[in-house]
Amino acid sequence: MTSLTVTTKTPADLPVDALVIGSVRTDDGPDLAAGHGLPRKAVVHLQAVLADLEASAATGDVHRVVAVPGVKATSVVVTGLGPGSTRTTAFDHVALRDAAGAALRSVRTKARVAVALPTPDVDRLGAVSDGAFAGVYQYDKATSRGTARAAKTPAPFAGPTITVVSGAGSGKEARDVVARSATLGAARDWARDLVNTPPNVLFPQSFADAVKKKVADSPARITVTVLDEKALAKGGFGGIVGVGQGSVNPPRIVTMRYAPSGAKASVALVGKGITFDSGGLNLKPSTGMVTMKCDMAGAAAVAASVLAAAELGLPVAVTGYLCLAENLPSGTAQRPSDVVVMRDGTSVEILDTDAEGRMVLGDGICLASEKKPDWIVDIATLTGAQVVALGADVAGVMGNDDAFRASVVAAADAAGEGAWAMPLPAAMRAKLDTPTADIAHKGDRDGGMLTAAIFLREFVGEGIPWAHLDIAGPAFNSKGATGATPKGGTGFGVSTLVGLVEQHARG
């Protein structure tokens, strides 16, 4: 498994397979960024190579140079940081993450890598460490090898040992920041693995089994409970039962509880976990199903966040609710015009079986509210309207408390995950009125992201601050890898949620 360590040794003296340094775009062309610690002859050599290669120094501009004079590393990887000067060390955290991620992706098969990007303080040290760990990620794809042949095949490379050269010293604070990046990175990689797993392999019960195994293998003290389809029906979870009734793989709600001794705060995370979304009887077009294995990315983010919070030993009780179902058409599938009763007794008219995520989340939010946590955050690949409004890289954040919503956006900004606060106009509640039930589960097309959140708000317990993250765009990258973001499942939300819990712990 990829590991992270920190050092203050001179980068040129590190006997590694690859040494990562930064480049900047100046008025005179590309040049080396501060923090590289290389001797003059190495700098002159690299400057000449960059000029000859017409390097841009932009994010994603990565060049690997071998046999650099005065450097013990086998090769030097120069990664772009964008515009700047050769003296500045005050680079944006996102630029540092992306530069480190792009560089490590190019050398992730190497055994030992050192990273010497500008890290004048522990915050930037954390950004570089986080990006470096994220860039190594690769999903171990399924193969057609038989069991006997697979047994003779070497195990996939476990990832490099990454040494981050710190300009902020190597004291406890620096070591703790780097260790946090490793813990958070490993949890985020697990979320990515879950999202990338084929839907015939990951369905509600196997998802629950994967969580139990992960927790069993972790030193963290987390309690896992699973409500099966009988318990869900008996408990009045009409939303998730209705969504899952068309599949041979019945629904589950998995609860992960981390409750450290002496915790004086308690928070809840609720994740949408549709392991495959065909749209149900309101069938999606075939092209709309191609990435629908990612419709459980919210639940994956919650599972990984609870795991990370526990492994970091945060002094806050964190409970995660994974609302897992498979949305398929069949003779038993839910119909438009059906009315179901949610966990809290609210009756809901179903208008579109492809708007299923809010139904499983509604039940999960009800369950979370019963424990009266300090706050609730739900996270979901909920609406195509989010992508229309904010694009593929920025999540929408809505809530019932402006101050809490702002704190969620701030946590996302600190984590380097794009997020934007969105309103919940009171007048839009009327779009969910229906003569058939207490509420309809969907409004018209206009403002679809907002009416989905307005629906979810109905199930939040009185007086509990709540925020909703719609991650339909940033949860899955259908294009090529870029910066610290891989192709496929991105693990979006894990860093934000863990940062939010840490923020709550600090008061």
Side-chain angles (χ1 to χ4, degrees):
M1 182 178 178
T2 300
S3 65
L4 284 175
T5 59
V6 64
T7 187
T8 54
K9 292 181 179 179
T10 302
D13 295 335
L14 297 174
V16 293
D17 299 303
L19 171 64
V20 176
I21 65 173
S23 63
V24 292
R25 186 170 65 252
T26 71
D27 292 340
D28 298 322
D31 206 341
L32 302 187
H36 56 73
L38 302 184
R40 179 62 184 168
K41 58 184 176 181
V43 172
V44 171
H45 179 79
L46 289 168
Q47 286 173 330
V49 171
L50 292 177
D52 186 60
L53 293 173
E54 298 181 353
S56 70
T59 300
D61 183 53
V62 177
H63 300 280
R64 187 174 169 207
V65 185
V66 300
V68 176
V71 177
K72 287 187 176 180
T74 304
S75 65
V76 174
V77 178
V78 186
T79 182
L81 286 164
S85 77
T86 57
R87 295 181 180 180
T88 184
T89 56
F91 287 95
D92 177 80
H93 293 187
V94 173
L96 289 169
R97 281 190 182 92
D98 284 344
L104 265 294
R105 184 174 300 108
S106 72
V107 291
R108 62 184 167 202
T109 60
K110 302 302 179 183
R112 298 171 301 166
V113 180
V115 184
L117 294 175
T119 54
D121 52 54
V122 291
D123 288 341
R124 288 177 174 84
L125 177 62
V128 169
S129 302
D130 187 51
F133 197 106
V136 173
Y137 176 79
Q138 184 174 12
Y139 179 65
D140 291 330
K141 64 182 179 181
T143 70
S144 58
R145 296 187 183 98
T147 304
R149 183 179 175 188
K152 299 177 183 178
T153 303
F157 188 76
T161 296
I162 303 172
T163 301
V164 183
V165 180
S166 171
S170 58
K172 184 179 184 302
E173 188 176 12
R175 295 196 304 272
D176 286 349
V177 163
V178 173
R180 175 191 182 275
S181 294
T183 299
L184 187 62
R188 183 177 53 224
D189 282 356
W190 179 43
R192 292 170 170 179
D193 280 346
L194 289 169
V195 174
N196 289 329
T197 301
N200 61 321
V201 176
L202 191 77
F203 44 89
Q205 182 58 54
S206 64
F207 196 143
D209 293 340
V211 169
K212 288 188 285 188
K213 183 180 186 308
K214 190 70 172 181
V215 168
D217 291 342
S218 169
R221 298 177 62 181
I222 300 172
T223 301
V224 179
T225 58
V226 181
L227 296 177
D228 64 14
E229 68 273 28
K230 292 181 180 178
L232 292 171
K234 184 178 180 180
F237 295 90
I240 194 169
V241 169
V243 170
Q245 70 189 39
S247 173
V248 295
N249 295 310
R252 300 285 185 266
I253 290 183
V254 177
T255 302
M256 302 172 67
R257 289 190 177 90
Y258 161 61
S261 177
K264 297 180 180 179
S266 174
V267 302
L269 308 175
V270 183
K272 173 188 172 184
I274 303 299
T275 57
F276 187 79
D277 183 18
S278 70
L281 290 182
N282 290 97
L283 198 65
K284 294 178 182 290
S286 59
T287 54
M289 293 189 214
V290 174
T291 61
M292 281 301 100
K293 68 178 183 180
C294 83
D295 214 18
M296 36 58 67
V302 167
S305 298
V306 176
L307 180 72
E311 292 188 343
L312 290 170
L314 301 184
V316 176
V318 185
T319 305
Y321 300 88
L322 318 181
C323 306
L324 311 177
E326 190 173 53
N327 186 27
L328 295 179
S330 73
T332 61
Q334 191 169 64
R335 296 155 291 236
S337 298
D338 280 0
V339 172
V340 300
V341 179
M342 307 290 283
R343 168 72 172 180
D344 68 349
T346 301
S347 61
V348 178
E349 181 183 14
I350 307 302
L351 301 179
D352 179 356
T353 62
D354 193 24
E356 81 300 326
R358 64 201 71 187
M359 298 302 294
V360 305
L361 283 176
D363 274 338
I365 291 170
C366 288
L367 186 60
S369 295
E370 291 169 9
K371 300 296 183 180
K372 301 187 184 308
D374 298 338
W375 47 254
I376 297 171
V377 172
D378 78 76
I379 181 168
T381 49
L382 203 63
T383 66
Q386 178 271 316
V387 184
V388 173
L390 297 174
D393 301 320
V394 179
V397 184
M398 292 138 277
N400 63 358
D401 181 288
D402 289 349
F404 182 56
R405 182 187 62 185
S407 70
V408 175
V409 173
D413 288 344
E417 296 185 320
W420 197 258
M422 300 295 289
L424 295 182
M428 293 185 74
R429 172 59 180 82
K431 290 175 177 283
L432 303 178
D433 288 345
T434 172
T436 309
D438 294 327
I439 190 172
H441 87 308
K442 186 178 182 182
D444 57 27
R445 182 184 179 189
D446 296 343
M449 174 173 59
L450 309 184
T451 51
I454 288 170
F455 175 81
L456 293 177
R457 185 178 59 187
E458 296 285 317
F459 303 98
V460 180
E462 185 176 356
I464 301 174
W466 156 81
H468 161 62
L469 277 73
D470 193 332
I471 60 169
F476 196 83
N477 176 20
S478 300
K479 302 176 182 178
T482 178
T485 304
K487 184 174 182 179
T490 64
F492 188 97
V494 177
S495 297
T496 295
L497 295 178
V498 173
L500 191 64
V501 176
E502 290 173 324
Q503 180 178 301
H504 194 62
R506 293 191 294 268

